[in-house]
Amino acid sequence: MPQNTPHAYLSGDIVECMACSDNVVRGGLTPKYKDVEVLCEMLVYKGGLPPTIVPEVVGEHTWLYRHSELHEFQVTKLLLAAGTSRRFCFSGAGPSLGFVFSGNGILKISDQTTKLAAGVVFLLSAGVDSDFVADDDLTTLLCCLLSSALLQRLHPTSAAHEFQRVRVNFDALVPTAWL
């Protein structure tokens, strides 16, 4: 979704991962301050379908959600069937923030083990190989910085270090487990 685009989610499941920002403009349905004048100034009056990001298959049961115009981060979805496991390194450029959408399992890093269940949030260090083991069907989503190789491919004139200062947040998630 491009910046300065009003949006709302009316049904279904959604994961919204956004770059750091202090410029949220509310339009209603909240008791918080609503700046109607600024909202009306920033609106773009054009119809059409909402922008979408088509996931790219990057491995067995692994999808990457990224867009060439989004420089800050990418989102990876990992879906494991019960009884299966997968080793994955999400980003060498910076930390990865993830959460379990559904299912149960275990996250192993070296000799440390963390139980995974729906709603558990976890933070992975840059470049760490993570072993995910699914007890039931397990769906996890992780947000991380673009890898420097991918950055160079998408933006050859941009220095990768410019993007490593970006902080990421998943709105409305309560951390229950941190690594």
Side-chain angles (χ1 to χ4, degrees):
M1 177 95 29
Q3 56 187 329
N4 296 329
T5 303
H7 57 281
Y9 305 102
L10 303 177
S11 68
D13 296 320
I14 184 137
V15 172
E16 182 170 338
C17 182
M18 49 192 267
C20 270
S21 170
D22 63 355
N23 62 355
V24 173
V25 179
R26 291 176 182 83
L29 304 177
T30 177
K32 296 178 182 176
Y33 175 71
K34 296 173 255 324
D35 193 337
V36 176
E37 186 176 323
V38 169
L39 178 64
C40 290
E41 287 174 10
M42 67 182 269
L43 286 177
V44 175
Y45 296 94
K46 73 176 187 183
L49 296 173
T52 58
I53 296 177
V54 177
E56 171 186 342
V57 176
V58 293
E60 188 175 352
H61 307 293
T62 309
W63 295 266
L64 179 64
Y65 293 80
R66 66 176 174 82
H67 191 278
S68 61
E69 294 178 20
L70 298 175
H71 305 176
E72 290 90 359
F73 49 78
Q74 61 192 22
V75 174
T76 304
K77 178 181 178 181
L78 181 61
L79 176 63
L80 294 175
T84 63
S85 63
R86 175 86 195 274
R87 175 171 274 214
F88 205 86
C89 178
F90 292 93
S91 176
S96 300
L97 179 63
F99 74 98
V100 179
F101 183 77
S102 64
N104 293 287
I106 297 170
L107 172 59
K108 294 180 185 178
I109 300 171
S110 299
D111 61 347
Q112 295 182 347
T113 300
T114 299
K115 287 288 273 173
L116 298 177
V120 170
V121 176
F122 52 91
L123 180 67
L124 302 174
S125 298
V128 68
D129 284 326
S130 310
D131 292 306
F132 290 83
V133 180
D135 295 335
D136 322 321
D137 291 348
L138 180 67
T139 303
T140 59
L141 292 124
L142 289 100
C143 179
C144 58
L145 296 170
L146 296 173
S147 69
S148 40
L150 181 57
L151 269 177
Q152 289 301 322
R153 198 172 72 209
L154 295 175
H155 308 283
T157 58
S158 299
H161 72 277
E162 290 178 25
F163 302 105
Q164 294 181 6
R165 294 188 306 259
V166 176
R167 292 179 299 164
V168 210
N169 67 48
F170 284 101
D171 279 352
L173 293 178
V174 179
T176 56
W178 294 95
L179 296 179

mmCIF file of all heavy atoms in Angstrom, residues 93 146-149 151-152 158-165:
data_model
loop_
_atom_site.group_PDB
_atom_site.id
_atom_site.type_symbol
_atom_site.label_atom_id
_atom_site.label_comp_id
_atom_site.label_asym_id
_atom_site.label_seq_id
_atom_site.Cartn_x
_atom_site.Cartn_y
_atom_site.Cartn_z
ATOM 1 N N ALA A 93 20.807 -8.905 6.715
ATOM 2 C CA ALA A 93 20.964 -7.454 6.774
ATOM 3 C C ALA A 93 20.500 -6.853 8.095
ATOM 4 O O ALA A 93 20.878 -5.745 8.436
ATOM 5 C CB ALA A 93 20.196 -6.802 5.624
ATOM 6 N N LEU A 146 15.371 -6.154 3.719
ATOM 7 C CA LEU A 146 15.758 -6.797 2.469
ATOM 8 C C LEU A 146 17.218 -7.215 2.566
ATOM 9 O O LEU A 146 18.035 -6.505 3.139
ATOM 10 C CB LEU A 146 15.598 -5.828 1.302
ATOM 11 C CG LEU A 146 14.186 -5.358 0.990
ATOM 12 C CD1 LEU A 146 14.228 -4.286 -0.082
ATOM 13 C CD2 LEU A 146 13.323 -6.506 0.542
ATOM 14 N N SER A 147 17.538 -8.361 1.997
ATOM 15 C CA SER A 147 18.932 -8.790 1.973
ATOM 16 C C SER A 147 19.720 -7.826 1.092
ATOM 17 O O SER A 147 19.182 -7.232 0.160
ATOM 18 C CB SER A 147 19.056 -10.211 1.436
ATOM 19 O OG SER A 147 18.742 -10.226 0.061
ATOM 20 N N SER A 148 21.007 -7.661 1.371
ATOM 21 C CA SER A 148 21.804 -6.727 0.576
ATOM 22 C C SER A 148 21.878 -7.168 -0.884
ATOM 23 O O SER A 148 21.907 -6.340 -1.785
ATOM 24 C CB SER A 148 23.187 -6.536 1.170
ATOM 25 O OG SER A 148 23.718 -7.731 1.635
ATOM 26 N N ALA A 149 21.858 -8.478 -1.154
ATOM 27 C CA ALA A 149 21.879 -8.952 -2.540
ATOM 28 C C ALA A 149 20.597 -8.545 -3.257
ATOM 29 O O ALA A 149 20.630 -8.085 -4.401
ATOM 30 C CB ALA A 149 22.048 -10.466 -2.575
ATOM 31 N N LEU A 151 18.627 -6.037 -2.396
ATOM 32 C CA LEU A 151 18.656 -4.580 -2.519
ATOM 33 C C LEU A 151 19.469 -4.158 -3.727
ATOM 34 O O LEU A 151 19.060 -3.279 -4.479
ATOM 35 C CB LEU A 151 19.274 -3.954 -1.271
ATOM 36 C CG LEU A 151 18.338 -3.571 -0.159
ATOM 37 C CD1 LEU A 151 19.130 -3.044 1.024
ATOM 38 C CD2 LEU A 151 17.343 -2.542 -0.611
ATOM 39 N N GLN A 152 20.629 -4.770 -3.911
ATOM 40 C CA GLN A 152 21.478 -4.415 -5.044
ATOM 41 C C GLN A 152 20.795 -4.747 -6.365
ATOM 42 O O GLN A 152 20.929 -4.016 -7.338
ATOM 43 C CB GLN A 152 22.836 -5.120 -4.939
ATOM 44 C CG GLN A 152 23.703 -4.579 -3.839
ATOM 45 C CD GLN A 152 23.995 -3.094 -4.004
ATOM 46 O OE1 GLN A 152 24.201 -2.604 -5.110
ATOM 47 N NE2 GLN A 152 23.999 -2.367 -2.896
ATOM 48 N N SER A 158 21.557 2.267 -4.857
ATOM 49 C CA SER A 158 21.343 2.519 -3.427
ATOM 50 C C SER A 158 22.331 1.716 -2.598
ATOM 51 O O SER A 158 22.578 0.558 -2.871
ATOM 52 C CB SER A 158 19.925 2.108 -3.020
ATOM 53 O OG SER A 158 18.982 2.853 -3.743
ATOM 54 N N ALA A 159 22.848 2.341 -1.584
ATOM 55 C CA ALA A 159 23.739 1.625 -0.659
ATOM 56 C C ALA A 159 22.899 0.841 0.336
ATOM 57 O O ALA A 159 21.957 1.370 0.906
ATOM 58 C CB ALA A 159 24.634 2.616 0.075
ATOM 59 N N ALA A 160 23.242 -0.420 0.535
ATOM 60 C CA ALA A 160 22.452 -1.270 1.427
ATOM 61 C C ALA A 160 22.418 -0.732 2.848
ATOM 62 O O ALA A 160 21.426 -0.867 3.538
ATOM 63 C CB ALA A 160 23.013 -2.689 1.423
ATOM 64 N N HIS A 161 23.487 -0.066 3.277
ATOM 65 C CA HIS A 161 23.517 0.409 4.665
ATOM 66 C C HIS A 161 22.461 1.474 4.940
ATOM 67 O O HIS A 161 22.075 1.691 6.071
ATOM 68 C CB HIS A 161 24.908 0.924 5.026
ATOM 69 C CG HIS A 161 25.254 2.231 4.379
ATOM 70 N ND1 HIS A 161 25.736 2.302 3.104
ATOM 71 C CD2 HIS A 161 25.164 3.498 4.845
ATOM 72 C CE1 HIS A 161 25.952 3.571 2.793
ATOM 73 N NE2 HIS A 161 25.607 4.315 3.829
ATOM 74 N N GLU A 162 21.967 2.159 3.909
ATOM 75 C CA GLU A 162 20.926 3.161 4.114
ATOM 76 C C GLU A 162 19.664 2.539 4.666
ATOM 77 O O GLU A 162 18.903 3.189 5.358
ATOM 78 C CB GLU A 162 20.582 3.855 2.791
ATOM 79 C CG GLU A 162 21.669 4.762 2.274
ATOM 80 C CD GLU A 162 21.274 5.367 0.947
ATOM 81 O OE1 GLU A 162 20.052 5.472 0.678
ATOM 82 O OE2 GLU A 162 22.174 5.730 0.189
ATOM 83 N N PHE A 163 19.409 1.286 4.377
ATOM 84 C CA PHE A 163 18.174 0.640 4.764
ATOM 85 C C PHE A 163 18.295 -0.133 6.073
ATOM 86 O O PHE A 163 17.323 -0.632 6.575
ATOM 87 C CB PHE A 163 17.702 -0.294 3.648
ATOM 88 C CG PHE A 163 17.493 0.436 2.357
ATOM 89 C CD1 PHE A 163 18.395 0.320 1.324
ATOM 90 C CD2 PHE A 163 16.405 1.275 2.197
ATOM 91 C CE1 PHE A 163 18.205 1.013 0.141
ATOM 92 C CE2 PHE A 163 16.212 1.974 1.027
ATOM 93 C CZ PHE A 163 17.115 1.837 -0.014
ATOM 94 N N GLN A 164 19.483 -0.237 6.633
ATOM 95 C CA GLN A 164 19.663 -1.018 7.836
ATOM 96 C C GLN A 164 19.253 -0.271 9.098
ATOM 97 O O GLN A 164 19.208 -0.847 10.158
ATOM 98 C CB GLN A 164 21.106 -1.489 7.949
ATOM 99 C CG GLN A 164 21.445 -2.472 6.843
ATOM 100 C CD GLN A 164 22.854 -2.977 6.937
ATOM 101 O OE1 GLN A 164 23.562 -2.680 7.886
ATOM 102 N NE2 GLN A 164 23.282 -3.750 5.963
ATOM 103 N N ARG A 165 18.937 1.017 8.989
ATOM 104 C CA ARG A 165 18.527 1.788 10.159
ATOM 105 C C ARG A 165 17.031 1.714 10.398
ATOM 106 O O ARG A 165 16.532 2.241 11.369
ATOM 107 C CB ARG A 165 18.920 3.243 9.957
ATOM 108 C CG ARG A 165 20.412 3.458 9.908
ATOM 109 C CD ARG A 165 20.713 4.932 9.900
ATOM 110 N NE ARG A 165 20.007 5.621 8.844
ATOM 111 C CZ ARG A 165 20.539 5.995 7.698
ATOM 112 N NH1 ARG A 165 21.784 5.736 7.457
ATOM 113 N NH2 ARG A 165 19.834 6.629 6.794
#
